[in-house]
Amino acid sequence: MIRREILIGVISSADLHRGVGNGYMLLFTNSRIVGANRPVSKDIPESYCWTMTESSEADHDVAERFAAALIGRKQFELSKEGIFKILYEAPGIFLGGRVIFASVGEQIQVETSVLSVWNPSGVQVIRKLVESLLIFAPDRFYDEKTGALVRDVGILA
């Protein structure tokens, strides 16, 4: 599957969107980002978030299984070298946020749900998304409102 890549993060959540559907899944490795719609299945938890900072062997094996399923369903794949800028707008309590992956010839946008006290998993999804992006490409990951690198302003939900 991804033997020559280092797995950075896997996020699957109804709090991520790209168009309509049952949510979205993102895979981050040291060389690419892959995105796919979440399948409608009782076997997939409402929210699954894993990053390399939680690297027990058992957790890593589960994350690799999620990654393999995601790659099999992929809607987009962007190489790290092809991405020249990643813009992040944090979600709030009234408006959702977004991440825009800008590469030569295309721009991919993934939206995030509004933050809510009734859905605490949304905050976890945002934390893992930002954490994964900070590991993936800290030198290309910008706050959309300020234009500053996220690593310099320390944005975490």
Side-chain angles (χ1 to χ4, degrees):
M1 176 201 74
I2 57 173
R3 300 224 183 263
R4 293 187 178 107
E5 295 175 278
I6 297 170
L7 189 59
I8 292 173
V10 180
I11 301 170
S12 174
S13 176
D15 291 311
L16 295 177
H17 312 280
R18 188 160 182 255
V20 295
N22 187 42
Y24 212 69
M25 302 169 69
L26 291 170
L27 164 67
F28 301 90
T29 73
N30 63 324
S31 63
R32 64 181 168 161
I33 295 175
V34 179
N37 281 327
R38 288 179 72 236
V40 178
S41 171
K42 293 178 185 175
D43 298 333
I44 295 184
E46 176 65 26
S47 183
Y48 175 79
C49 300
W50 177 89
T51 58
M52 68 188 312
T53 57
E54 304 162 7
S55 58
S56 78
E57 192 66 35
D59 289 343
H60 186 268
D61 292 345
V62 171
E64 280 204 347
R65 284 195 298 277
F66 266 90
L70 194 156
I71 289 169
R73 303 176 51 81
K74 76 178 171 183
Q75 288 183 311
F76 77 85
E77 180 175 333
L78 298 171
S79 71
K80 185 174 184 173
E81 295 81 29
I83 298 171
F84 62 86
K85 185 183 276 189
I86 301 168
L87 295 172
Y88 172 70
E89 181 180 358
I93 57 172
F94 298 113
L95 296 172
R98 66 184 179 168
V99 176
I100 299 171
F101 302 102
S103 65
V104 177
E106 73 179 316
Q107 189 169 295
I108 304 287
Q109 179 172 302
V110 177
E111 298 163 352
T112 62
S113 296
V114 297
L115 298 178
S116 169
V117 295
W118 293 282
N119 182 14
S121 70
V123 173
Q124 178 73 1
V125 167
I126 297 302
R127 284 178 119 27
K128 296 301 179 181
L129 177 63
V130 170
E131 183 179 325
S132 295
L133 287 165
L134 282 169
I135 295 168
F136 176 73
D139 59 330
R140 293 175 234 171
F141 184 31
Y142 294 90
D143 179 307
E144 189 172 21
K145 290 182 182 176
T146 66
L149 285 169
V150 170
R151 71 176 178 203
D152 296 339
V153 293
I155 296 174
L156 276 180

